[in-house]
């Protein structure tokens, strides 16, 4: 196969738009195309993830509170309070 025939079969790339408005239009088209690929979680998944995050935050809060209380008591005992 000759190079001319092969080159004719390859898809031509569209010319890049010039100017700020042309680039803006391309950007917005790309944003819309990417948003169509997004897979959104179901209502049940959102509820499950929310509960998991809240429980995790409560556990970490309790842990930090206990450390704060313990270190506070230790400082009062060491320096007399």
């Amino acid at each position: 196969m000759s190079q001319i025939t092969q080159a004719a079969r390859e898809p031509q790339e569209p010319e890049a738009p010039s100017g700020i408005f042309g680039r803006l239009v391309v950007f917005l088209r790309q944003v819309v195309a990417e948003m169509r690929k997004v897979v959104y979680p179901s209502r049940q998944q959102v509820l499950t993830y929310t509960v998991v995050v809240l429980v995790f935050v409560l556990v970490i809060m309790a842990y930090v509170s206990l450390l704060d209380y313990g270190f506070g008591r230790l400082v009062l005992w060491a320096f007399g309070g």
Side-chain angles (χ1 to χ4, degrees):
M1 186 183 293
S2 70
Q3 289 180 346
I4 295 172
T5 308
Q6 186 178 7
R9 292 183 181 186
E10 292 178 7
Q12 299 289 329
E13 295 218 5
E15 188 175 318
S18 60
I20 191 165
F21 292 111
R23 290 192 307 256
L24 183 63
V25 168
V26 170
F27 172 74
L28 292 175
R29 284 183 182 158
Q30 290 174 346
V31 167
V32 170
E34 289 299 320
M35 288 301 292
R36 288 186 178 140
K37 297 178 187 177
V38 173
V39 178
Y40 293 96
S42 68
R43 185 177 183 87
Q44 184 62 41
Q45 287 174 322
V46 171
L47 182 63
T48 302
Y49 298 154
T50 302
V51 170
V52 167
V53 168
L54 290 176
V55 168
F56 178 77
V57 167
L58 288 173
V59 168
I60 296 301
M61 237 173 50
Y63 178 69
V64 170
S65 296
L66 287 172
L67 284 176
D68 181 48
Y69 178 77
F71 284 124
R73 298 286 293 188
L74 184 65
V75 167
L76 286 176
W77 173 79
F79 296 109

